[in-house]
Amino acid sequence: MERVMVFKGIRKRDFPDQWHSTVAVSFPSIHAIMMKMLSPIPSERPTSAAVADHIDSLLSEYTVLSLDRTHRREGSVLLRVEATESEGVLRRTIDLIKSSDKSIEIRQYSLRGQESKAIMEFALSVAESGNGENETEKEDSVKNVIIALKGNEEIGLVRQVTEKHVALSRCHSIDEVSQQTS
């Protein structure tokens, strides 16, 4: 019965408190589009194409779009980095990655522009230390890179993208998504 009441409230644009403290805070654009979609005034509702574009935009923030798939067999760590678009931002970011941890190797990288921001994607690997490097050392090396990137005032976002995100971005149907998440 509680679920029915929650959905009745949502239809009236009255979201549960947990929604406001989690989704609405972490993903305000999702909350905004939901509010528009639930508008009692049809002309205020977005078109299905606008909703699809919005979802594509959100998903692209959690995926790596421009790297080829060779990173999969290399066991690479994927990073998406967004920075203020300026001349030489890619070179400065590469130098920052290399200087933040000497065991990090950049396998692939790409740069594209979108709305006055530079979107850089990296496939990183951790060089073998020769002393039986374990998973914790690899995670520490990646953390060093992320901390260095986040500490740079030119960089606005650093996100590690997992293989699950990459797999989900390639799904073409709801059935494929549910197979990937189960």
Side-chain angles (χ1 to χ4, degrees), residues 13-35 54 58:
R13 300 167 77 176
D14 181 23
F15 289 84
D17 290 338
Q18 188 178 6
W19 172 273
H20 289 289
S21 64
T22 56
V23 177
V25 171
S26 300
F27 302 99
S29 67
I30 290 176
H31 181 72
I33 198 154
M34 291 290 294
M35 292 298 283
H54 188 78
L58 287 172

Side-chain angles (χ1 to χ4, degrees), residues 4-169:
V4 171
M5 299 307 291
V6 169
F7 282 116
K8 280 184 180 182
I10 290 173
R11 284 188 195 104
K12 296 176 186 171
R13 300 167 77 176
D14 181 23
F15 289 84
D17 290 338
Q18 188 178 6
W19 172 273
H20 289 289
S21 64
T22 56
V23 177
V25 171
S26 300
F27 302 99
S29 67
I30 290 176
H31 181 72
I33 198 154
M34 291 290 294
M35 292 298 283
K36 288 178 184 178
M37 290 169 61
L38 294 166
S39 175
I41 304 166
S43 62
E44 291 180 0
R45 295 181 202 142
T47 64
S48 59
V51 172
D53 287 344
H54 188 78
I55 291 169
D56 281 344
S57 173
L58 287 172
L59 289 176
S60 74
E61 292 178 18
Y62 291 89
T63 58
V64 173
L65 302 172
S66 57
L67 301 179
D68 66 35
R69 294 184 184 186
T70 59
H71 62 78
R72 291 177 120 172
R73 66 177 173 268
E74 295 171 355
S76 296
V77 174
L78 305 177
L79 291 183
R80 177 187 167 97
V81 179
E82 293 181 10
T84 306
E85 188 173 354
S86 62
E87 187 69 33
V89 70
L90 178 61
R91 170 58 31 215
R92 288 189 299 278
T93 304
I94 289 172
D95 291 344
L96 183 58
I97 290 170
K98 288 180 177 180
S99 68
S100 65
D101 193 294
K102 299 300 181 199
S103 65
I104 292 289
E105 295 178 4
I106 300 173
R107 296 288 190 181
Q108 292 182 47
Y109 62 87
S110 69
L111 169 68
R112 59 190 167 93
Q114 179 181 332
E115 299 173 7
S116 75
K117 64 182 170 186
I119 299 171
M120 297 166 279
E121 297 173 339
F122 296 94
L124 308 176
S125 64
V126 180
E128 294 295 325
S129 63
N131 62 1
E133 181 176 324
N134 62 30
E135 199 62 32
T136 303
E137 291 172 349
K138 178 179 178 180
E139 289 172 9
D140 288 345
S141 294
V142 173
K143 278 184 198 174
N144 291 339
V145 170
I146 292 172
I147 289 167
L149 291 169
K150 286 184 174 183
N152 184 297
E153 63 185 38
E154 189 175 28
I155 294 174
L157 174 103
V158 179
R159 181 171 288 132
Q160 185 173 344
V161 179
T162 66
E163 278 302 318
K164 186 174 183 179
H165 290 123
V166 173
L168 288 174
S169 72

